[in-house]
């Protein structure tokens, strides 16, 4: 199967992007940001974000992460203990 390039991916429709990521992407993590759940995937040799709207229950956009410094947002959320974990540690 031919490798999908960033340009190929960018030209796809939202539905096409969703299908290829769900079938071939590797889900890495999810963060909550305002009214959105942001899901980070690794696909081919690039990162893709899926923006899921909690209020509309729909995916609003799927885009290639071009600013790799934004990965820090996901990492910070992974290493930051949850409130429940903090409570357990205190007991």
């Amino acid at each position: 199967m031919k490798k999908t390039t960033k340009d190929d991916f960018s030209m796809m429709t939202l539905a096409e992007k969703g299908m290829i990521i769900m079938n071939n992407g590797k889900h890495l993590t999810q963060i909550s940001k305002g009214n959105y759940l942001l899901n980070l995937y690794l696909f081919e040799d690039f990162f893709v974000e899926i923006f899921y709207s909690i209020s509309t229950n729909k995916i609003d956009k799927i885009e290639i992460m071009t600013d790799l410094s934004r990965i820090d947002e996901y990492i910070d959320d992974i290493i930051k203990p949850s409130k429940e974990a903090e409570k357990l540690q205190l007991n």
Side-chain angles (χ1 to χ4, degrees):
M1 185 166 105
K2 180 182 161 239
K3 181 178 174 180
T4 304
T5 66
K6 288 182 182 180
D7 288 338
D8 294 336
F9 188 82
S10 296
M11 299 298 290
M12 294 178 184
T13 66
L14 184 67
E16 290 170 331
K17 289 176 183 177
M19 289 300 294
I20 200 165
I21 292 298
M22 294 299 148
N23 290 326
N24 303 105
K26 167 92 171 119
H27 185 257
L28 301 175
T29 189
Q30 173 181 277
I31 60 173
S32 179
K33 194 167 189 178
N35 189 43
Y36 285 91
L37 294 177
L38 278 59
N39 288 275
L40 182 65
Y41 283 81
L42 178 62
F43 175 69
E44 299 289 1
D45 60 350
F46 52 93
F47 294 103
V48 174
E49 285 182 292
I50 296 181
F51 294 76
Y52 174 79
S53 171
I54 298 167
S55 63
T56 62
N57 199 28
K58 288 176 27 180
I59 293 173
D60 282 351
K61 64 181 173 176
I62 300 173
E63 60 184 31
I64 296 170
M65 180 183 280
T66 53
D67 179 6
L68 294 182
S69 68
R70 292 203 43 242
I71 288 180
D72 290 343
E73 294 175 43
Y74 290 93
I75 293 170
D76 291 344
D77 197 65
I78 291 169
I79 60 176
K80 177 178 61 179
S82 68
K83 295 293 180 195
E84 287 300 313
E86 286 177 3
K87 286 179 189 175
L88 291 174
Q89 290 174 354
L90 293 175
N91 291 336

